[in-house]
Amino acid sequence: MKRLCSGRRQSAAERKEQMESVDMVSVAAIVVIVYLVGEAVKAMTIDNKWIPVICGGVGGALGVLGMFIMPDFPAHDVLNAMAVGIVSGLAATGANQIVKQLLGKKEVKING
């Protein structure tokens, strides 16, 4: 068991909870990076219909990269790492839509 700064030993449940929080941070990092890539793609001349595909691809690549450079990454094989990355990338496009809906202007129809 690991020892904490206070000198007491860390239980298995505490270690598991700590690992799960690290897993969430690594996945959230992929979402943020892919969100920024999506915003950059939106500023280019590429048609917006390709943004989810690009975000999914970049997320998949980041997932595989994360598996190799982050020891506590939630996936331990390439296929699962790619799946985690793709889902994270697509979550970034969903986050974009949430922000767009919350901050965007609503159309006002005038009958007449």
Side-chain angles (χ1 to χ4, degrees):
M1 288 188 155
K2 284 183 163 180
R3 288 198 181 270
L4 298 176
C5 294
S6 65
R8 78 175 179 87
R9 292 180 178 253
Q10 188 178 26
S11 70
E14 288 172 327
R15 282 195 313 270
K16 182 178 180 184
E17 183 179 321
Q18 184 180 14
M19 286 178 55
E20 287 174 356
S21 66
V22 171
D23 293 348
M24 291 301 294
V25 169
S26 60
V27 171
I30 293 174
V31 173
V32 170
I33 292 168
V34 173
Y35 178 83
L36 295 173
V37 169
E39 289 296 317
V41 169
K42 193 186 304 184
M44 298 177 185
T45 58
I46 298 172
D47 191 5
N48 285 349
K49 71 179 181 180
W50 295 108
I51 291 176
V53 174
I54 293 168
C55 286
V58 170
L62 287 174
V64 172
L65 182 66
M67 180 190 74
F68 288 113
I69 63 172
M70 297 204 265
D72 293 330
F73 194 74
H76 301 290
D77 60 278
V78 174
L79 188 60
N80 282 325
M82 191 176 293
V84 166
I86 289 170
V87 169
S88 300
L90 294 176
T93 59
N96 180 12
Q97 289 301 311
I98 290 170
V99 170
K100 187 176 174 182
Q101 293 298 320
L102 290 175
L103 300 178
K105 294 180 181 176
K106 297 184 180 199
E107 290 185 41
V108 178
K109 280 190 170 183
I110 300 174
N111 293 330

